[in-house]
Amino acid sequence: MRIGIDTGGTFTDAVVVTGAAEGFVPIGQGKALSTPGDLIAGALASVEAAAADLNLTAREVLSQADSVDYATTVGLNALLTGSGAPIALITTEGFEATLPVARAAKVAGLSPAEATEAICWSKPPMLLSRRRIVGVPERIDSAGEVVRPLDEAAVVAAVESLREDGVTSFAVSLLWSVADPRHEHRVAELIGRIHPEAHVTLSSAVPRIGEYERTMTAVLDAYVAPLVADEIQALADALAERGFAGQLRVMQSRGDSCAVGDALRSVETLQSGPVAGLLASAKLANALGRSEAIATDVGGTSFDVGLITDGEVTVARRPMIGRWALAHPVVEVVSIGTGGGSLAWIDPVLGSLRVGPQSAGAQPGPACYRRGGTAPTLTDAAVALGHMSELGGVVDLDRAAATHAVEREVAAPLGLSVPDAADAVVGVACSQMADLIRRVTVQRGHDPTGFVMLAYGGAAPQYATRYAAEVGVGEVVVPAAASVFSALGAAGGDIGAGSRSSSTSESQRAGGRAAWFDRQVVDCPVYDGPRLAPDTHLDGPAFIDHPSTSIVLRPGDRAEITAEGHTRLFPGPPS
């Protein structure tokens, strides 16, 4: 038995899989609100939910588990919010400007639109002040020969000064350490003697030529490593307290897992959640007999897109995280801040409607969560339209609160009715998603119409046919475990496995609800997704409810249930 956990900005997901040579089959899944400030609590809550799905306790499941595979966002969140550790960089004397110059990369990491606007041009944000970049006398050449011995007295003086300045994590990047790391190793020894509680990252651990990228990677690792280490240790302790005696592994951005205690590098966890979902997508695409696929993940905070070509995930040629360059291989996932919790707001200068990148997150969350949030989000817009009525057992959705938020912040300022305003919010968000898909496909020479699209994450099934229709994709597949798909990918689960009821589709009609489509209220059937029989065919407008998510069929959309429990969607015309 294995457990996969994926911690997101809004929700934390867990899945329990079991099996052996025949593949690991998902048998239980759970979702819980993430808990900013104490992400372990959300992780444990998701495991409890997955255990409850099996009518077991968390302790019973954990005591039987051979491994827990964890996809974490703590490092990425620290990086994006500027809340990493106080760090310093020790480098070769004379090369202190390597990081600030940053190859003069003023447009690196910007969107195509931002790259055309000179006002947006700037170098990547610095993660430390210039006074904490210290050069020490030493030099090793490209052949690994010592040209100038390391001045150990200078290193000692620098470390003592930086310790007094509050530094708790060090990046060490010396010139040509990739050819011979002896000077970096000695610097690490000196730091350990003077400041034993400090973390140290050596650039020589990244075997790649490229002074700036190697230095930046070491700095990024030093910036997030203390936080990632604390979280992993806290998770390990909490799991052990609940009976887990197996192996804890952490998902990495390059597409594999690293056992805790091995050479885990925190910088390689920054995209672990999205990468886990993309790996699961590649498995699903192969199971479907499709070698070309677009993986789309809509969570509470972001929209993530990855490309599968010739049956393989794409590996970034010049990897970046945000606007920072990396020097190690990364499975390529491109993201924007458009998710269920993304805030809808009116641009004060242009007076136009915007969605994201700011997010309500898990706390306070969308207004419809009734957890203190008052600003409208994409989820509030969907609830106000009647496209969502509940979110499994995770949270109750308050349509009145969602409607009031949309009316106050969007409809009234724009002079629109609430349904028109809510539909505009969904339209803007889906257009942003479609733009990112074009960036990943069309701008790289791929025609999206020849790809199958995979839609997963808690929110993707609600919007998939709309953004797919915008880019001309003719088929969308919603996996059977869509809302916990990244957790399933982390655990290495068999995405092709599943069993279906022999019931007919009509007997599984769970009722109906009124919803807004094509500028009018329509009475729509609602189906119980997990109980739909294989080869069931449905036409929109309709809803297929699953635990923790709902598939929205617009007018003109069609759906078909596969033997494995996946839902094939055939989008109608663009909305």
Side-chain angles (χ1 to χ4, degrees), residues 155-177:
V155 175
V156 170
V159 174
E160 289 177 342
S161 175
L162 292 166
R163 181 188 59 186
E164 295 302 315
D165 194 33
V167 169
T168 61
S169 187
F170 290 82
V172 182
S173 182
L174 304 181
L175 196 65
W176 286 110
S177 62

Side-chain angles (χ1 to χ4, degrees), residues 203-285:
S203 76
S204 53
V206 183
R208 172 179 164 177
I209 296 174
E211 181 189 349
Y212 169 64
E213 289 81 2
R214 191 163 43 85
T215 301
M216 189 72 252
T217 301
V219 167
L220 287 168
D221 188 76
Y223 190 67
V224 303
L227 285 78
V228 172
D230 288 348
E231 182 195 24
I232 298 304
Q233 187 59 55
L235 178 61
D237 293 343
L239 293 175
E241 290 173 2
R242 289 159 178 79
F244 176 64
Q247 187 178 68
L248 175 60
R249 298 191 294 246
V250 182
M251 192 73 198
Q252 300 190 97
S253 301
R254 64 177 179 234
D256 59 1
S257 294
C258 182
V260 172
D262 291 349
L264 174 65
R265 299 181 65 246
S266 298
V267 71
E268 296 197 43
T269 70
L270 294 178
Q271 288 275 46
S272 60
V275 166
L278 186 53
L279 295 176
S281 296
K283 284 187 178 182
L284 178 55

Side-chain angles (χ1 to χ4, degrees), residues 296-322:
T296 64
D297 178 0
V298 186
T301 306
S302 65
F303 176 59
D304 306 319
V305 178
L307 210 59
I308 297 158
T309 57
D310 296 325
E312 300 291 338
V313 297
T314 303
V315 176
R317 290 174 294 178
R318 299 186 65 182
M320 300 190 71
I321 183 74

Side-chain angles (χ1 to χ4, degrees), residues 113-126:
E114 291 171 330
T116 63
E117 298 290 341
I119 195 172
C120 296
W121 296 353
S122 65
K123 293 177 185 177
M126 292 279 287

Side-chain angles (χ1 to χ4, degrees), residues 280-291:
S281 296
K283 284 187 178 182
L284 178 55
N286 288 326
L288 295 171
R290 302 292 293 267
S291 59

